[in-house]
Amino acid sequence: MTNAPPRRSIAALILGIVFGLIGLVLTGGGAWLLISGGSPYYLVTGIALIVAGVLLARGRKAGGWLYIVIFAVTLLWAYWEVGLDPWALVPRVVAPLVLLIALQLVWPTLDRSAGRWRRAWVGVAVTFAVAIGFFWSIAGNFIPPVLQGLPDARYAMADPSIGTTGADWPAYGGTNSARRYSPLAQITPANVGNLKRAWLIHTGDLPASAQIRNTYGAENTPLKIGDTLYVCTPKSMVIALDPATGKQKWRFDPKVSDEAIPYTAACRGVSYYAVPGAAADTPCAQRIILGTLDARIMALDARTGQQCRDFGSNGQVRITDGMGQVPPGYVSITSPPTIVRGVIVTGHQVLDGQDRWAPSGVIQAYGAVTGKMRWAWDMMHPERSGPPPAGQTYARGTPNMWTIASGDEQLGLVYLPMGNSAADYYSSLRRPEENRYATSLVAIDVMTGKPRWNFQAVRKDVWDYDFGAQATLIDFPTTRGPVPAMLLPSKQGDIYVLDRRTGRPLTPIGDIKAPQIGVEPEQRAATQRISLYHTLRKPDLTEKDMWGMSPIDQMICRIQFRRASYKGFFTPPEADRRSIEYPGYNGGTDWGGIAVDPARGVIVANYNDMPNYVRLVPRKEANKKGWAPRDQARGEIGGAEGAGDPQAHTPYAIDVNAGWRLPFTGLLCKQPPYGGIRAIDIATGKTIWDRPFGTARTNGPFGIPSMLPLTIGTPNNGGSVVTAGGLIFVAAATDNLIRAIDLKTGKTLWQDVLPAGGQATPMTYSQNGKQYLVIMAGGHHFMQTPVGDELIAYALN
């Protein structure tokens, strides 16, 4: 009896061609990866797939059996590389599983036996059920444990600020100590499930065009003082609301033009000042201090919204006076000024990446009543205490403070988280004073404007690791008793504990060897500073950490990893190839800062865990691309920071792939999670619990929302609030949710879908005996969340 000839099957032919094409891609890419020092899996699998495809196309079952062997080997290899980590298994297993199901459906076309289709469908159903059950079970069991309980000790931390939280929320961080803590306890883990929307208002500040939409990111945290809530909008409008109903009391529009918008149209908040001794009904006895996108500081009557005409020049001061040439959008105030001892201290954002000699980062101070300049700190001219002489300007290109300062009313100090010099990624032109103060926390005497001390976290920064978060003021427990201290979080993920009187570290600090490579090896420090108290930073990346939607894009990410310059933490940028910066400039803690429960002694930190894929672009090449400073530019503003910034007057422009995304799928090359939230014991620096933060519901390949409620850990911007009720309230993630999280366990107890992105820090207050939670749902262009203008208040039903 002769063997029956192979049965001709169009379906098998098509699947065989698919196998062959995938095999060709894996073979070519796998060979490239292997030559680059990477895994041999892709080359071997690609060759085997080609053979399986040819056999299937010829109608031979051997092709199917070979693929089953390939799939089994893939499972073993995936387990060997990443174990049972569900998100790491996705690109290694899901696409091969889909091909296995397709093979099961094609198999009956190669068979003549009775019942072949029934067996095929049963096989598909069993395979699908087993796969779903497997991923569901390991995803459910992949919840990190609570490592330790909340601290037993109870603290009684004094707050050196004037205002207090509870009924009110008088400053951006709650108070100038920036703890983001409220003693309110009406909302608890037991009843938070009853939290409902109490009111919602629209601010009316929405982008007027698609181009401007690419710059919007509200980032606002309102203030609540007495019977009024104060919110500011992306273009610096201020709205006063009834805190119980959301009804508008007054609105002030400073008339900021679109051309003044910098990288982001944002107003993180306003500041509040009560004039000592003034009668309550006196005009401007209580003031809202507003910093605008077009670089003005304005004083408004907190009761009426009218400008305080006795402040500065007809109610305002321009901080650009003395800066020389300032093109529109180059200098903006996006963070609330800090007021200590009646002195308004302001920094400002200088548009990143444009010009080595961009406008100055000078810090300026004004009287809260008169608006007269009290001092100006220009680090290149320490002999001065005021504006520059006629015909001169503040030193250009110096580090700026774009974020929020904290302040100690008792010590008379303002704590400035400083950024980098202009042209973040090239350091040879920096002056000694810049190298001293860049990427530092600088304590300024509010009465004199002179630095009292500074603490530098990065030496000669070429990673855009500027301090983005407020320092949080606490009393730190020591064997000698509590010490006035600060918690200083960083983009690198390190959290430092410093004596806020002197800047002396209260917890151990180490030095690690740093790569002295790149285009300026002589400029790179041999060692860099790290905190030995606590870090949010994860271990260095390896090839196994690469991710994707399928084995193909994961392989591409592996190739990119192998071909890039990467020597671990603090790898500097290069010009002839890409380098990997991990964490990236949005890593660790950014402007959202941390929250502290001062009674329980717990830090709450939501953080990012993403790399950047970076290259310095030689000037000639940048010129060919048309990359020019904003005031000379042709083209749209917006987009990711650093993606084609010219860095004029240096030899190199910079091209940053923020998050290290693949251009065709939009997925990140590093495997999840991309963000987390963690509780930390203040006294010991030990982790209490750590959770991935953010679900995959709005994320997916090609920008298509997956709507999966699975916790993946997304990028996040914005901070959290912790309450005496034992809850953490936070939005920040890209899934457009606001959550209540149990402080003890990290478990999400309640959530609500926001109408736009929640890239802002919430706040809480009480009015008429009821506790409210408020969040600005304004969205954010960089986080790619929907833009909106909704301010939402929640209360118990």
Side-chain angles (χ1 to χ4, degrees):
M1 185 177 191
T2 58
N3 291 330
R7 187 172 183 181
R8 299 182 65 84
S9 165
I10 298 299
L13 174 63
I14 294 173
L15 186 60
I17 292 173
V18 171
F19 277 11
L21 292 175
I22 294 174
L24 284 172
V25 173
L26 291 179
T27 299
W32 193 2
L33 178 60
L34 187 62
I35 292 170
S36 301
S39 170
Y41 164 81
Y42 298 88
L43 175 59
V44 173
T45 301
I47 294 171
L49 265 176
I50 292 172
V51 174
V54 170
L55 290 172
L56 269 181
R58 296 178 65 184
R60 296 184 179 274
K61 291 182 182 179
W65 289 114
L66 177 55
Y67 182 75
I68 290 172
V69 172
I70 293 171
F71 184 77
V73 171
T74 295
L75 290 180
L76 293 173
W77 167 76
Y79 179 76
W80 172 76
E81 275 213 324
V82 298
L84 296 179
D85 183 336
W87 287 111
L89 287 173
V90 165
R92 293 168 170 86
V93 173
V94 171
L97 181 66
V98 172
L99 293 179
L100 177 64
I101 292 174
L103 176 64
Q104 289 176 294
L105 292 173
V106 166
W107 198 283
T109 68
L110 302 175
D111 196 357
R112 291 183 172 87
S113 62
R116 60 187 183 275
W117 285 105
R118 184 177 64 253
R119 291 193 299 271
W121 283 108
V122 169
V124 168
V126 170
T127 301
F128 188 75
V130 169
I132 292 297
F134 173 75
F135 275 103
W136 187 264
S137 65
I138 63 175
N141 293 324
F142 206 70
I143 300 173
V146 176
L147 301 178
Q148 66 177 59
L150 295 179
D152 292 330
R154 292 296 180 265
Y155 298 87
M157 294 187 188
D159 189 331
S161 308
I162 290 179
T164 60
T165 58
D168 290 350
W169 191 269
Y172 174 79
T175 70
N176 281 344
S177 290
R179 294 174 184 171
R180 297 172 182 82
Y181 169 80
S182 173
L184 297 178
Q186 188 178 89
I187 306 172
T188 68
N191 63 24
V192 70
N194 297 323
L195 210 57
K196 304 293 182 183
R197 291 188 183 181
W199 52 261
L200 180 153
I201 65 109
H202 293 270
T203 68
D205 188 355
L206 287 169
S209 67
Q211 179 180 356
I212 301 304
R213 178 173 292 273
N214 292 333
T215 68
Y216 261 53
E219 301 182 1
N220 179 253
T221 299
L223 303 188
K224 194 266 187 180
I225 296 98
D227 62 356
T228 307
L229 194 70
Y230 302 94
V231 60
C232 65
T233 74
K235 286 180 63 178
S236 309
M237 302 175 195
V238 182
I239 307 170
L241 306 168
D242 183 308
T245 65
K247 183 179 179 181
Q248 180 175 307
K249 294 185 173 184
W250 56 257
R251 171 187 291 259
F252 175 79
D253 185 354
K255 307 295 183 182
V256 172
S257 68
D258 285 347
E259 68 174 358
I261 297 174
Y263 169 65
T264 298
C267 179
R268 296 188 184 95
V270 294
S271 305
Y272 169 78
Y273 182 71
V275 179
D281 58 351
T282 303
C284 290
Q286 299 178 69
R287 300 173 176 222
I288 297 300
I289 305 299
L290 167 69
T292 68
L293 281 184
D294 55 4
R296 291 174 287 164
I297 293 181
M298 312 181 81
L300 310 177
D301 188 319
R303 293 187 306 154
T304 65
Q306 298 296 312
Q307 283 185 257
C308 301
R309 297 297 177 181
D310 59 347
F311 180 87
S313 176
N314 202 27
Q316 65 182 22
V317 295
R318 293 188 178 274
I319 68 166
T320 52
D321 291 347
M323 289 188 186
Q325 183 181 7
V326 180
Y330 268 65
V331 173
S332 305
I333 303 175
T334 54
S335 296
T338 298
I339 306 174
V340 171
R341 295 186 177 180
V343 179
I344 301 169
V345 179
T346 187
H348 53 273
Q349 175 182 334
V350 178
L351 195 63
D352 265 357
Q354 303 304 300
D355 195 318
R356 170 64 188 101
W357 306 114
S360 178
V362 58
I363 306 297
Q364 299 173 78
Y366 303 89
V369 175
T370 65
K372 292 182 179 179
M373 177 174 279
R374 298 289 295 269
W375 48 261
W377 178 55
D378 180 349
M379 65 182 64
M380 294 303 302
H381 296 284
E383 75 283 359
R384 297 178 188 163
S385 59
Q392 299 184 37
T393 67
Y394 296 116
R396 298 184 74 88
T398 54
N400 64 87
M401 183 192 72
W402 56 267
T403 189
I404 310 103
S406 45
D408 188 319
E409 193 77 22
Q410 296 172 8
L411 295 176
L413 295 178
V414 176
Y415 303 101
L416 313 176
M418 298 298 294
N420 207 350
S421 300
D424 285 292
Y425 299 89
Y426 186 76
S427 61
S428 292
L429 298 176
R430 295 175 191 163
R431 297 156 291 193
E433 293 82 1
E434 294 175 275
N435 285 331
R436 175 183 177 186
Y437 290 113
T439 320
S440 291
L441 192 287
V442 180
I444 292 279
D445 186 318
V446 75
M447 304 311 292
T448 67
K450 302 299 182 184
R452 186 81 60 84
W453 55 262
N454 75 288
F455 174 86
Q456 187 170 59
V458 180
R459 300 173 177 120
K460 294 190 176 180
D461 182 0
V462 288
W463 301 274
D464 197 9
Y465 277 159
D466 48 355
F467 277 118
Q470 273 183 297
T472 296
L473 310 190
I474 63 167
D475 289 341
F476 186 69
T478 71
T479 55
R480 304 180 307 278
V483 174
M486 66 167 57
L487 295 165
L488 179 61
S490 68
K491 287 184 178 180
Q492 307 89 274
D494 289 308
I495 298 176
Y496 301 94
V497 184
L498 309 176
D499 185 323
R500 67 177 184 261
R501 301 166 298 185
T502 64
R504 179 177 63 87
L506 297 174
T507 55
I509 290 176
D511 283 298
I512 59 170
K513 290 184 178 180
Q516 292 184 281
I517 55 176
V519 299
E520 313 167 276
E522 73 287 348
Q523 287 284 323
R524 302 285 66 76
T527 62
Q528 290 285 0
R529 174 175 271 171
I530 60 170
S531 171
L532 301 179
Y533 165 74
H534 192 92
T535 185
L536 303 166
R537 186 174 59 255
K538 304 297 175 67
D540 289 345
L541 295 175
T542 69
E543 184 191 325
K544 295 178 183 179
D545 294 318
M546 299 301 101
W547 205 63
M549 183 175 61
S550 69
I552 291 176
D553 48 336
Q554 185 185 45
M555 177 185 67
I556 294 171
C557 287
R558 286 178 181 250
I559 293 170
Q560 290 185 356
F561 176 84
R562 286 293 181 179
R563 293 180 61 80
S565 170
Y566 184 56
K567 304 295 182 184
F569 192 27
F570 287 114
T571 298
E574 298 191 10
D576 57 350
R577 59 175 174 166
R578 292 275 183 173
S579 63
I580 297 169
E581 176 191 339
Y582 180 64
Y585 63 47
N586 197 230
T589 305
D590 205 345
W591 53 265
I594 59 174
V596 167
D597 185 326
R600 297 177 177 95
V602 176
I603 302 167
V604 176
N606 55 296
Y607 60 92
N608 285 299
D609 184 22
M610 297 181 295
N612 285 349
Y613 205 51
V614 182
R615 178 177 168 245
L616 287 167
V617 179
R619 179 60 53 206
K620 186 175 181 181
E621 181 181 344
N623 290 342
K624 285 183 179 180
K625 292 176 180 290
W627 294 354
R630 163 90 165 261
D631 56 314
Q632 306 168 27
R634 14 21 52 216
E636 296 185 359
I637 60 175
E641 185 176 338
D645 284 350
Q647 296 196 139
H649 296 105
T650 73
Y652 302 97
I654 186 66
D655 189 14
V656 178
N657 180 344
W660 187 4
R661 297 174 180 268
L662 286 174
F664 39 93
T665 65
L667 295 179
L668 279 65
C669 267
K670 175 195 165 290
Q671 73 183 31
Y674 307 119
I677 187 165
R678 184 180 299 182
I680 304 159
D681 186 330
I682 285 180
T684 64
K686 292 182 178 179
T687 298
I688 298 170
W689 50 258
D690 187 19
R691 301 278 187 268
F693 175 52
T695 66
R697 62 182 299 274
T698 61
N699 301 100
F702 311 110
I704 301 172
S706 69
M707 300 313 295
L708 293 173
L710 300 175
T711 299
I712 190 173
T714 73
N716 57 90
N717 258 349
S720 64
V721 170
V722 63
T723 71
L727 291 170
I728 302 161
F729 294 108
V730 61
T734 59
D735 57 10
N736 306 332
L737 298 175
I738 183 169
R739 296 171 169 82
I741 296 173
D742 190 333
L743 181 63
K744 291 182 179 179
T745 65
K747 180 181 178 182
T748 297
L749 302 177
W750 167 89
Q751 64 186 32
D752 186 45
V753 179
L754 298 172
Q759 281 65 58
T761 303
M763 49 84 78
T764 186
Y765 60 87
S766 69
Q767 185 71 15
N768 302 326
K770 179 177 286 191
Q771 182 179 353
Y772 291 84
L773 168 71
V774 171
I775 180 70
M776 179 73 209
H780 206 285
H781 67 104
F782 176 70
M783 306 299 285
Q784 298 180 350
T785 56
V787 171
D789 70 338
E790 292 91 349
L791 186 74
I792 306 172
Y794 298 87
L796 291 175
N797 194 16

